[in-house]
Amino acid sequence: MIVRGRSRTSGNTRPLACSKRWRAAGLVSMACAMGVAGCSPTLDWREQRLGGQGLVVLLPCRPQLDERVLLLGGVPVTMRLAACTAGGLTWAAAEVEPAPGQSPAAAMRALHEAAARNVGAVPSQAAASASDGSGRWTFTGRRADGQATAMRLALLARGRSVVQLSVIGTPAPAGDALDTFFGSPRWAR
């Protein structure tokens, strides 16, 4: 049943039931829009599996997956990589298995040096003196366009699998999100 009423402003007759529906639809649309905005956090954590060794890491955004061959200590190896951008930072997790005859510690030292070079920084001496090459570092340098940037790097190994976690951006990444990311690697069965 449609009830007709008069608009207070124009005196025109229009169906009241219709105007109530439109008002209700408008309120529902506004609530949905606010709900979507409230439920889209900057960091949307998700698990990502890398490589054949069962490595699982948490990334704060949907990653692009890649596999590339790189020289690690002068030896070609395959690196499996997951990377994404969230909160103005680039988050990347990579796994590599050193070439036969190359130790995981030597691979970590080579990854440390390459990461430092990527942002135009000098590799820290702490990596060269660490017995297994694992640890966390902060590098500051410049991007190719000359802008200042910072990189947080973590390296670890399990068996022959070497993992590199990095967060790049300005200002230097820090806080709970960094701890969540760096503390996330685990090996599933």
Side-chain angles (χ1 to χ4, degrees), residues 77-161:
V77 296
T78 300
M79 175 182 271
R80 290 159 299 282
L81 174 73
C84 60
T85 301
L89 302 170
T90 301
W91 306 75
E95 180 183 36
V96 65
E97 186 170 322
Q102 186 180 39
S103 73
M108 284 191 278
R109 284 190 291 277
L111 285 170
H112 173 268
E113 291 169 4
R117 278 193 308 273
N118 284 344
V119 293
V122 177
S124 69
Q125 295 304 312
S129 62
S131 61
D132 69 351
S134 64
R136 291 184 185 187
W137 300 270
T138 300
F139 302 119
T140 56
R142 299 227 173 255
R143 298 186 321 204
D145 64 4
Q147 297 232 346
T149 192
M151 174 191 279
R152 295 288 179 109
L153 174 72
L155 294 169
L156 58 123
R158 179 175 182 224
R160 298 223 12 101
S161 179

Side-chain angles (χ1 to χ4, degrees), residues 4-153:
R4 296 214 175 258
R6 294 198 179 269
S7 167
R8 291 182 185 167
T9 57
S10 67
N12 294 334
T13 303
R14 63 188 164 126
L16 287 176
C18 184
S19 66
K20 287 180 183 176
R21 281 189 203 128
W22 281 108
R23 227 177 288 143
L27 290 173
V28 168
S29 296
M30 190 180 338
C32 287
M34 290 172 59
V36 167
C39 294
S40 57
T42 303
L43 304 180
D44 183 14
W45 294 96
R46 61 195 69 221
E47 286 190 343
Q48 179 63 52
R49 186 177 291 267
L50 275 178
Q53 302 297 322
L55 173 65
V56 178
V57 296
L58 280 175
L59 285 162
C61 41
R62 179 174 295 166
Q64 296 287 323
L65 303 177
D66 194 14
E67 191 171 282
R68 54 181 75 158
V69 175
L70 60 108
L71 290 177
L72 201 57
V75 181
V77 296
T78 300
M79 175 182 271
R80 290 159 299 282
L81 174 73
C84 60
T85 301
L89 302 170
T90 301
W91 306 75
E95 180 183 36
V96 65
E97 186 170 322
Q102 186 180 39
S103 73
M108 284 191 278
R109 284 190 291 277
L111 285 170
H112 173 268
E113 291 169 4
R117 278 193 308 273
N118 284 344
V119 293
V122 177
S124 69
Q125 295 304 312
S129 62
S131 61
D132 69 351
S134 64
R136 291 184 185 187
W137 300 270
T138 300
F139 302 119
T140 56
R142 299 227 173 255
R143 298 186 321 204
D145 64 4
Q147 297 232 346
T149 192
M151 174 191 279
R152 295 288 179 109
L153 174 72

Side-chain angles (χ1 to χ4, degrees), residues 172-187:
D176 291 341
L178 189 66
D179 291 338
T180 298
F181 180 54
F182 281 174
S184 73
R186 65 179 175 80
W187 279 263

